[in-house]
Amino acid sequence: MTQTPFLATNDVRDRFSTAMSAMYQTEVPQYGTLLELVEQVNQETLNQQPALRRRLEAQGELARLSVERHGAIRVGSADELSMLRRLFAVMGMYPVGYYDLSEAGVPVHSTAFRPIEGEALACNPFRVFTSLLRLELTESEALRQRAEEILTKRDIFTPKVRDLIKRFETQGGLTSDEADQFVNEALETFRWHQDATVDLDTYQALSAEHRLIADVVCFRGPHINHLTPRTLDIDEVQRRMPSVGMNPKAVIEGPPRREASILLRQTSFKALEESIRFAGDAQGTHTARFGEVEQRGMALTPKGRALYDKLLNEGRKETAGLDNDAHQAVMNKVFTALPDSDEAMRREGLAYFHYHLTDAGKVATGNTSSDMDALIAQGLVEAQPITYEDFLPVSAAGIFQSNLGGNASDAYAGDANREAFEEALGAPVTDELALYAEREQASQQRILAALAG
């Protein structure tokens, strides 16, 4: 008897991200407009910059440009977070990085569920930034207890998806038909619900504490609060948003525009005001869901990240209240302290690189040198920046605050608590910098072995 083959987790993730995008475009039509805008800007950028097109093609980035999306979701309890970990594992997505957003005035801490292996990232790099509400940071004990009571009464997962997750864990995979069922059932966790589970007074009390708390606690499910296409020119997308009926957030988050792009730049259109029915038939509105855009650059080493954080903090002190043009001008000036070429970033150990043999290197043998600079100078080896696949806590908080209408609050500036987060998650989070270092080292070992042979 022939056993039915299991579908690769990469393919499950691909089906899920496609279905999620279709659902979100139906729920938030303006997101479909954003996708069209980003695609137009990307095509124009590639046409205007043939060298960029060739580089992206050589790096395998061009093929995945159109599917590069991430989403974000916020949950309210350890049980919900732990079950999400198991759900994402079905799609080959694992918790990478710990982000303390309380340092930026938002009462959550987070991780990103994403593929880890290079091949999996190349197939589909979809990732979900997942935040856990930190009710212990709220000042009102009565409000905290009320929120906890509400959360204990809901189940954000369907019985069928729970069954399919157990089946995946027991049998080691899902068939194609089971994977389709899984995608349909998993989408229910991320679907928008217009009916709140609380009365208007409770909603308003939680919203007054922080609008993110109301967003997490007051609905049947956590609902995906945004999806994100990847652009090659975020400044141009920001500039054009108003012309297609979108209200962009005030400033682009993250580093300024550079020749050697680093880390992650993000912007979004402002969250939509949506009609809500509250328990007791009261009517009201809620703002939570929006469309985001990201532009990704190279991953920085600990040395590079320390310099980035220092410069970001310097820039933020000078940019409060500025519009985007003035904000970017200040950041550009501050960031002149960071080298702005791939080669300078590599030589100074500020970023991670993938090393590969040139055509000349592929036919060279008997070279026992381990000096990468020398091998590059000889034309045997080339180095390409490794794309940053993760997130920035200050930028994430800035996006959240902009779209929830809330401001940073010192009351939430609690200490990071990675241990408590991992306990709730039911597993340790992987250190993202270690992943980049491993990829760089593995690429070096492969070419040294090939040259020596």
Side-chain angles (χ1 to χ4, degrees):
M1 181 175 178
T2 304
Q3 185 177 6
T4 305
F6 295 137
L7 190 69
T9 56
N10 290 339
D11 293 329
V12 182
R13 182 172 66 260
D14 192 56
R15 292 184 187 184
F16 178 79
S17 63
T18 299
M20 174 85 86
S21 180
M23 181 186 78
Y24 201 65
Q25 289 179 63
T26 299
E27 292 182 345
V28 184
Q30 204 169 40
Y31 179 66
T33 304
L34 180 65
L35 290 180
E36 293 172 1
L37 173 60
V38 168
E39 183 178 8
Q40 180 183 16
V41 170
N42 285 350
Q43 285 304 314
E44 291 176 6
T45 304
L46 290 170
N47 291 339
Q48 294 164 3
Q49 302 181 39
L52 174 63
R53 179 188 287 272
R54 288 193 295 272
R55 180 168 64 82
L56 291 174
E57 202 163 22
Q59 294 175 337
E61 293 283 347
L62 194 59
R64 74 177 197 163
L65 181 61
S66 62
V67 299
E68 178 100 6
R69 295 193 181 102
H70 83 251
I73 194 168
R74 308 158 184 147
V75 295
S77 70
D79 288 344
E80 291 175 352
L81 180 66
S82 178
M83 194 64 185
L84 271 182
R85 172 181 57 80
R86 295 170 61 194
L87 181 147
F88 284 126
V90 178
M91 296 181 268
M93 299 163 68
Y94 308 99
V96 177
Y98 171 76
Y99 305 94
D100 172 32
L101 272 65
S102 73
E103 69 181 31
V106 179
V108 299
H109 47 184
S110 316
T111 192
F113 288 96
R114 70 166 177 90
I116 289 177
E117 302 296 334
E119 182 180 345
L121 285 164
C123 287
N124 185 309
F126 183 70
R127 53 184 83 74
V128 178
F129 190 80
T130 303
S131 300
L132 175 64
L133 184 62
R134 298 187 68 181
L135 286 173
E136 77 275 10
L137 298 181
T138 60
E139 293 184 350
S140 169
E141 183 177 349
L143 206 60
R144 182 167 62 251
Q145 290 179 349
R146 176 70 179 124
E148 290 171 348
E149 290 169 3
I150 295 167
L151 290 169
T152 59
K153 294 177 181 177
R154 75 178 186 183
D155 187 350
I156 66 174
F157 305 97
T158 68
K160 183 64 175 177
V161 83
R162 287 181 176 273
D163 175 64
L164 288 164
I165 291 169
K166 290 179 183 177
R167 196 176 306 178
F168 170 84
E169 293 169 345
T170 301
Q171 64 189 21
L174 296 178
T175 66
S176 181
D177 287 345
E178 289 170 342
D180 284 338
Q181 294 177 46
F182 168 82
V183 168
N184 290 334
E185 295 292 328
L187 281 179
E188 295 305 309
T189 296
F190 299 84
R191 192 179 298 282
W192 172 249
H193 298 288
Q194 197 171 22
D195 295 325
T197 58
V198 302
D199 58 37
L200 182 58
D201 288 345
T202 299
Y203 172 86
Q204 290 176 336
L206 291 170
S207 185
E209 175 66 23
H210 196 289
R211 291 178 71 173
L212 184 144
I213 298 175
D215 181 61
V216 173
V217 173
C218 297
F219 298 89
R220 284 167 47 197
H223 51 257
I224 193 82
N225 58 69
H226 70 266
L227 286 180
T228 309
R230 179 184 177 189
T231 185
L232 298 173
D233 190 343
I234 199 168
D235 300 276
E236 185 62 17
V237 172
Q238 174 91 354
R239 188 184 70 79
R240 294 191 194 182
M241 273 191 196
S243 69
V244 291
M246 296 177 192
N247 180 22
K249 71 182 299 295
V251 299
I252 296 171
E253 299 284 349
R257 185 185 188 100
R258 291 163 43 89
E259 289 297 320
S261 298
I262 59 170
L263 297 173
L264 176 65
R265 304 182 72 203
Q266 296 170 280
T267 190
S268 70
F269 64 73
K270 291 288 190 70
L272 308 177
E273 188 172 273
E274 302 178 83
S275 298
I276 299 295
R277 288 188 297 268
F278 294 93
D281 293 331
Q283 299 288 319
T285 60
H286 179 68
T287 54
R289 300 189 302 159
F290 55 95
E292 188 180 72
V293 184
E294 66 178 30
Q295 182 171 352
R296 291 189 173 269
M298 66 183 78
L300 300 186
T301 62
K303 178 182 177 182
R305 185 58 184 269
L307 179 54
Y308 166 79
D309 289 342
K310 174 178 177 290
L311 297 176
L312 180 70
N313 287 335
E314 287 179 12
R316 282 167 60 85
K317 293 175 183 176
E318 301 180 36
T319 57
L322 297 181
D323 64 19
N324 187 59
D325 288 344
H327 174 96
Q328 297 302 326
V330 170
M331 297 301 277
N332 275 317
K333 181 180 178 181
V334 170
F335 270 78
T336 55
L338 189 69
D340 195 12
S341 75
D342 291 356
E343 182 59 14
M345 294 290 286
R346 188 190 69 81
R347 283 185 174 276
E348 295 188 27
L350 298 170
Y352 292 105
F353 285 78
H354 177 269
Y355 293 84
H356 65 95
L357 294 173
T358 63
D359 289 340
K362 291 175 183 177
V363 296
T365 56
N367 190 321
T368 58
S369 172
S370 59
D371 185 334
M372 286 295 147
D373 290 345
L375 293 171
I376 290 173
Q378 293 169 36
L380 302 178
V381 172
E382 287 181 340
Q384 296 172 336
I386 295 176
T387 300
Y388 187 63
E389 304 286 354
D390 298 286
F391 296 90
L392 302 168
V394 172
S395 294
I399 293 282
F400 282 8
Q401 289 161 354
S402 175
N403 286 288
L404 286 164
N407 297 314
S409 170
D410 292 339
Y412 300 128
D415 293 334
N417 197 337
R418 177 170 177 160
E419 183 178 343
F421 184 85
E422 291 182 332
E423 183 178 351
L425 182 68
V429 300
T430 299
D431 180 77
E432 66 274 22
L433 297 185
L435 292 177
Y436 298 120
E438 289 169 8
R439 287 178 61 185
E440 180 178 84
Q441 186 176 28
S443 73
Q444 291 176 345
Q445 291 173 341
R446 281 193 297 270
I447 62 171
L448 292 178
L451 287 171

PDB file of all heavy atoms in Angstrom, residues 4-17:
ATOM      1  N   THR A   4       0.273   8.085   1.173  1.00  0.00           N
ATOM      2  CA  THR A   4       0.060   9.403   0.577  1.00  0.00           C
ATOM      3  C   THR A   4       1.156  10.349   1.051  1.00  0.00           C
ATOM      4  O   THR A   4       1.384  10.480   2.258  1.00  0.00           O
ATOM      5  CB  THR A   4      -1.317   9.964   0.976  1.00  0.00           C
ATOM      6  OG1 THR A   4      -2.329   9.032   0.613  1.00  0.00           O
ATOM      7  CG2 THR A   4      -1.573  11.298   0.283  1.00  0.00           C
ATOM      8  N   PRO A   5       1.843  11.017   0.132  1.00  0.00           N
ATOM      9  CA  PRO A   5       2.945  11.894   0.540  1.00  0.00           C
ATOM     10  C   PRO A   5       2.428  13.136   1.250  1.00  0.00           C
ATOM     11  O   PRO A   5       1.330  13.622   0.969  1.00  0.00           O
ATOM     12  CB  PRO A   5       3.618  12.253  -0.793  1.00  0.00           C
ATOM     13  CG  PRO A   5       2.525  12.123  -1.813  1.00  0.00           C
ATOM     14  CD  PRO A   5       1.667  10.988  -1.326  1.00  0.00           C
ATOM     15  N   PHE A   6       3.253  13.638   2.164  1.00  0.00           N
ATOM     16  CA  PHE A   6       2.906  14.876   2.862  1.00  0.00           C
ATOM     17  C   PHE A   6       3.357  16.074   2.032  1.00  0.00           C
ATOM     18  O   PHE A   6       4.366  16.019   1.330  1.00  0.00           O
ATOM     19  CB  PHE A   6       3.574  14.919   4.234  1.00  0.00           C
ATOM     20  CG  PHE A   6       3.094  13.855   5.182  1.00  0.00           C
ATOM     21  CD1 PHE A   6       3.987  13.151   5.968  1.00  0.00           C
ATOM     22  CD2 PHE A   6       1.741  13.560   5.287  1.00  0.00           C
ATOM     23  CE1 PHE A   6       3.553  12.177   6.845  1.00  0.00           C
ATOM     24  CE2 PHE A   6       1.285  12.584   6.163  1.00  0.00           C
ATOM     25  CZ  PHE A   6       2.194  11.892   6.939  1.00  0.00           C
ATOM     26  N   LEU A   7       2.611  17.149   2.146  1.00  0.00           N
ATOM     27  CA  LEU A   7       2.966  18.386   1.469  1.00  0.00           C
ATOM     28  C   LEU A   7       4.093  19.066   2.239  1.00  0.00           C
ATOM     29  O   LEU A   7       4.066  19.128   3.469  1.00  0.00           O
ATOM     30  CB  LEU A   7       1.749  19.311   1.397  1.00  0.00           C
ATOM     31  CG  LEU A   7       1.878  20.562   0.519  1.00  0.00           C
ATOM     32  CD1 LEU A   7       1.932  20.181  -0.954  1.00  0.00           C
ATOM     33  CD2 LEU A   7       0.709  21.515   0.769  1.00  0.00           C
ATOM     34  N   ALA A   8       5.081  19.585   1.535  1.00  0.00           N
ATOM     35  CA  ALA A   8       6.192  20.285   2.183  1.00  0.00           C
ATOM     36  C   ALA A   8       5.668  21.493   2.953  1.00  0.00           C
ATOM     37  O   ALA A   8       4.746  22.174   2.502  1.00  0.00           O
ATOM     38  CB  ALA A   8       7.208  20.736   1.137  1.00  0.00           C
ATOM     39  N   THR A   9       6.256  21.750   4.115  1.00  0.00           N
ATOM     40  CA  THR A   9       5.810  22.894   4.917  1.00  0.00           C
ATOM     41  C   THR A   9       5.966  24.211   4.152  1.00  0.00           C
ATOM     42  O   THR A   9       5.180  25.144   4.355  1.00  0.00           O
ATOM     43  CB  THR A   9       6.588  22.973   6.251  1.00  0.00           C
ATOM     44  OG1 THR A   9       8.000  23.021   5.975  1.00  0.00           O
ATOM     45  CG2 THR A   9       6.281  21.778   7.133  1.00  0.00           C
ATOM     46  N   ASN A  10       6.962  24.284   3.265  1.00  0.00           N
ATOM     47  CA  ASN A  10       7.112  25.490   2.446  1.00  0.00           C
ATOM     48  C   ASN A  10       5.878  25.725   1.586  1.00  0.00           C
ATOM     49  O   ASN A  10       5.439  26.863   1.390  1.00  0.00           O
ATOM     50  CB  ASN A  10       8.335  25.382   1.534  1.00  0.00           C
ATOM     51  CG  ASN A  10       9.646  25.438   2.294  1.00  0.00           C
ATOM     52  OD1 ASN A  10       9.696  25.932   3.419  1.00  0.00           O
ATOM     53  ND2 ASN A  10      10.702  24.936   1.688  1.00  0.00           N
ATOM     54  N   ASP A  11       5.312  24.647   1.068  1.00  0.00           N
ATOM     55  CA  ASP A  11       4.118  24.761   0.220  1.00  0.00           C
ATOM     56  C   ASP A  11       2.882  25.104   1.050  1.00  0.00           C
ATOM     57  O   ASP A  11       2.000  25.828   0.585  1.00  0.00           O
ATOM     58  CB  ASP A  11       3.896  23.461  -0.554  1.00  0.00           C
ATOM     59  CG  ASP A  11       4.988  23.206  -1.587  1.00  0.00           C
ATOM     60  OD1 ASP A  11       5.528  24.185  -2.126  1.00  0.00           O
ATOM     61  OD2 ASP A  11       5.318  22.025  -1.833  1.00  0.00           O
ATOM     62  N   VAL A  12       2.817  24.585   2.271  1.00  0.00           N
ATOM     63  CA  VAL A  12       1.701  24.952   3.155  1.00  0.00           C
ATOM     64  C   VAL A  12       1.761  26.442   3.448  1.00  0.00           C
ATOM     65  O   VAL A  12       0.744  27.146   3.404  1.00  0.00           O
ATOM     66  CB  VAL A  12       1.743  24.149   4.474  1.00  0.00           C
ATOM     67  CG1 VAL A  12       0.545  24.525   5.357  1.00  0.00           C
ATOM     68  CG2 VAL A  12       1.736  22.643   4.206  1.00  0.00           C
ATOM     69  N   ARG A  13       2.959  26.941   3.739  1.00  0.00           N
ATOM     70  CA  ARG A  13       3.145  28.378   4.018  1.00  0.00           C
ATOM     71  C   ARG A  13       2.761  29.211   2.800  1.00  0.00           C
ATOM     72  O   ARG A  13       2.132  30.268   2.933  1.00  0.00           O
ATOM     73  CB  ARG A  13       4.598  28.644   4.420  1.00  0.00           C
ATOM     74  CG  ARG A  13       4.884  30.094   4.781  1.00  0.00           C
ATOM     75  CD  ARG A  13       6.278  30.259   5.362  1.00  0.00           C
ATOM     76  NE  ARG A  13       7.364  29.991   4.446  1.00  0.00           N
ATOM     77  CZ  ARG A  13       8.062  28.868   4.391  1.00  0.00           C
ATOM     78  NH1 ARG A  13       7.803  27.879   5.218  1.00  0.00           N
ATOM     79  NH2 ARG A  13       9.043  28.704   3.506  1.00  0.00           N
ATOM     80  N   ASP A  14       3.135  28.758   1.631  1.00  0.00           N
ATOM     81  CA  ASP A  14       2.818  29.489   0.408  1.00  0.00           C
ATOM     82  C   ASP A  14       1.309  29.558   0.194  1.00  0.00           C
ATOM     83  O   ASP A  14       0.768  30.618  -0.151  1.00  0.00           O
ATOM     84  CB  ASP A  14       3.499  28.816  -0.785  1.00  0.00           C
ATOM     85  CG  ASP A  14       3.451  29.672  -2.028  1.00  0.00           C
ATOM     86  OD1 ASP A  14       3.914  30.829  -1.971  1.00  0.00           O
ATOM     87  OD2 ASP A  14       2.937  29.202  -3.052  1.00  0.00           O
ATOM     88  N   ARG A  15       0.621  28.450   0.407  1.00  0.00           N
ATOM     89  CA  ARG A  15      -0.835  28.438   0.264  1.00  0.00           C
ATOM     90  C   ARG A  15      -1.488  29.359   1.289  1.00  0.00           C
ATOM     91  O   ARG A  15      -2.432  30.086   0.975  1.00  0.00           O
ATOM     92  CB  ARG A  15      -1.373  27.018   0.422  1.00  0.00           C
ATOM     93  CG  ARG A  15      -0.997  26.070  -0.707  1.00  0.00           C
ATOM     94  CD  ARG A  15      -1.646  24.707  -0.536  1.00  0.00           C
ATOM     95  NE  ARG A  15      -1.154  23.753  -1.518  1.00  0.00           N
ATOM     96  CZ  ARG A  15      -1.601  22.501  -1.650  1.00  0.00           C
ATOM     97  NH1 ARG A  15      -2.578  22.064  -0.849  1.00  0.00           N
ATOM     98  NH2 ARG A  15      -1.097  21.699  -2.566  1.00  0.00           N
ATOM     99  N   PHE A  16      -0.974  29.312   2.508  1.00  0.00           N
ATOM    100  CA  PHE A  16      -1.564  30.128   3.570  1.00  0.00           C
ATOM    101  C   PHE A  16      -1.366  31.621   3.298  1.00  0.00           C
ATOM    102  O   PHE A  16      -2.304  32.411   3.424  1.00  0.00           O
ATOM    103  CB  PHE A  16      -0.949  29.765   4.923  1.00  0.00           C
ATOM    104  CG  PHE A  16      -1.478  30.594   6.069  1.00  0.00           C
ATOM    105  CD1 PHE A  16      -2.707  30.304   6.631  1.00  0.00           C
ATOM    106  CD2 PHE A  16      -0.747  31.662   6.558  1.00  0.00           C
ATOM    107  CE1 PHE A  16      -3.206  31.075   7.676  1.00  0.00           C
ATOM    108  CE2 PHE A  16      -1.232  32.438   7.607  1.00  0.00           C
ATOM    109  CZ  PHE A  16      -2.469  32.142   8.162  1.00  0.00           C
ATOM    110  N   SER A  17      -0.153  32.039   2.919  1.00  0.00           N
ATOM    111  CA  SER A  17       0.108  33.458   2.693  1.00  0.00           C
ATOM    112  C   SER A  17      -0.708  33.979   1.513  1.00  0.00           C
ATOM    113  O   SER A  17      -1.190  35.118   1.534  1.00  0.00           O
ATOM    114  CB  SER A  17       1.603  33.714   2.469  1.00  0.00           C
ATOM    115  OG  SER A  17       2.074  33.056   1.310  1.00  0.00           O
TER     116      SER A  17
END
